[in-house]
Amino acid sequence: MPTTALYRDDFYLSTCEAVVTAVNEDGSIEFDRTCFYATSGGQPGDTGFLERADGSRITLDVTRHGATKDIILHMPAEGQDLPTAGETIVMHVDWPRRYKLMRMHTACHLLSVVCPFPITGAAVGEDESRVDFDMTETIDRDTVTKDLMRLVSENHPIFVQWITDDELVANPGIVKSKNVRPPVGMGRVSLVCIGEDSAVDSQPCGGTHVSETQEVGAIHIAKIEKKGKENRRFRIRFGTPDALA
Ligand SMILES: [Zn+2]
């Protein structure tokens, strides 16, 4: 059964009430709606717990899409009790973890502004994220860090604009990723815009992001690796380079 993905319209929603619509054979749970982000586009799905009417908790380990994008499956940790269909529960996202992922994910967008080459891959992590670019140039790590921190401290607003799948197909130029599929298949696509009137950047993305660049906080490029002749892998970490030295 399709699930209403509340996180698509509110990145800061950490808790919500929902009704269990199915408990599948593999133990995965479906709800009428959810605030748990499902693994997609390089951002890992949410973890957290369900609070039942009697106060007991069910820990959730994994959130992912089912056979289609509108199906969202919540996987409980091993040995947990399962709820029953029709039960109303309160969902709680592990917010400290998710907020780090939102900051990191936003940092990846900023890196694509500073380093304007086609993206061939990306993975958002709590402690480190990586973005792969199709580029042959050698670029100075500290210069990239400085440019990133300038965008952070300028505190640009970040907002979402919705376009239809057809509009995206008609404007392929707005997609920066080469091998990463844009988030189509749900009728509408979110454009993540940075800066007043998208002056800094806009990019189709279905992930969750912070609402202004200052929230990203201190980040730096920890490493730039050469992965083949035309591929550079950038690793972003939190904190200042000095703090880790
Ligand atoms: Zn994004």
Side-chain angles (χ1 to χ4, degrees):
M1 199 181 280
T3 304
T4 303
L6 298 173
Y7 57 81
R8 296 194 80 199
D9 292 300
D10 185 357
F11 299 152
Y12 288 83
L13 189 68
S14 64
T15 178
C16 74
E17 203 175 76
V19 177
V20 176
T21 55
V23 180
N24 302 313
E25 251 171 56
D26 63 357
S28 63
I29 308 164
E30 295 177 50
F31 301 93
D32 60 339
R33 54 197 219 142
T34 186
C35 54
F36 275 58
Y37 181 80
T39 301
S40 180
Q43 183 180 331
D46 283 331
T47 58
F49 68 91
L50 305 176
E51 184 187 344
R52 306 179 82 175
D54 66 2
S56 65
R57 291 178 173 197
I58 299 170
T59 304
L60 297 179
D61 263 358
V62 179
T63 310
R64 58 179 173 82
H65 288 288
T68 53
K69 270 265 183 174
D70 55 0
I71 306 285
I72 299 174
L73 302 173
H74 305 72
M75 210 61 188
E78 225 165 292
Q80 302 280 297
D81 286 341
L82 292 176
T84 51
E87 189 175 332
T88 299
I89 48 84
V90 181
M91 313 185 75
H92 298 268
V93 170
D94 177 344
W95 185 251
R97 175 178 178 272
R98 156 76 95 74
Y99 190 56
K100 273 195 214 169
L101 292 170
M102 281 169 52
R103 290 169 58 206
M104 265 298 188
H105 191 140
T106 308
C108 293
H109 283 253
L110 296 180
L111 178 58
S112 77
V113 173
V114 168
C115 193
F117 297 93
I119 296 168
T120 56
V124 179
E126 286 165 70
D127 301 313
E128 183 184 273
S129 297
R130 64 166 176 81
V131 183
D132 293 345
F133 291 97
D134 181 351
M135 62 186 281
T136 51
E137 289 78 356
T138 302
I139 193 162
D140 179 57
R141 203 177 61 178
D142 295 337
T143 307
V144 177
T145 294
K146 223 169 72 191
D147 291 345
L148 280 174
M149 284 315 298
R150 182 178 47 78
L151 288 173
V152 170
S153 61
E154 282 170 356
N155 204 21
H156 299 285
I158 301 168
F159 56 96
V160 165
Q161 265 179 350
W162 292 97
I163 60 171
T164 64
D165 282 6
D166 295 340
E167 283 174 307
L168 180 65
V169 171
N171 296 284
I174 57 177
V175 181
K176 280 187 186 176
S177 47
K178 237 177 129 183
N179 310 337
V180 185
R181 244 167 51 86
V184 292
M186 287 172 287
R188 56 177 193 156
V189 175
S190 51
L191 276 186
V192 174
C193 307
I194 305 177
E196 299 290 345
D197 301 321
S198 314
V200 177
D201 191 42
S202 76
Q203 170 70 12
C205 182
T208 61
H209 312 81
V210 294
S211 62
E212 44 188 36
T213 58
Q214 220 165 62
E215 284 184 63
V216 172
I219 47 165
H220 66 280
I221 300 299
K223 220 177 199 180
I224 301 174
E225 294 158 273
K226 201 172 164 179
K227 294 272 171 191
K229 211 167 80 186
E230 292 174 2
N231 201 34
R232 297 289 180 276
R233 173 166 292 176
F234 287 61
R235 294 186 183 275
I236 311 173
R237 288 193 193 142
F238 285 125
T240 57
D242 291 340
L244 296 174

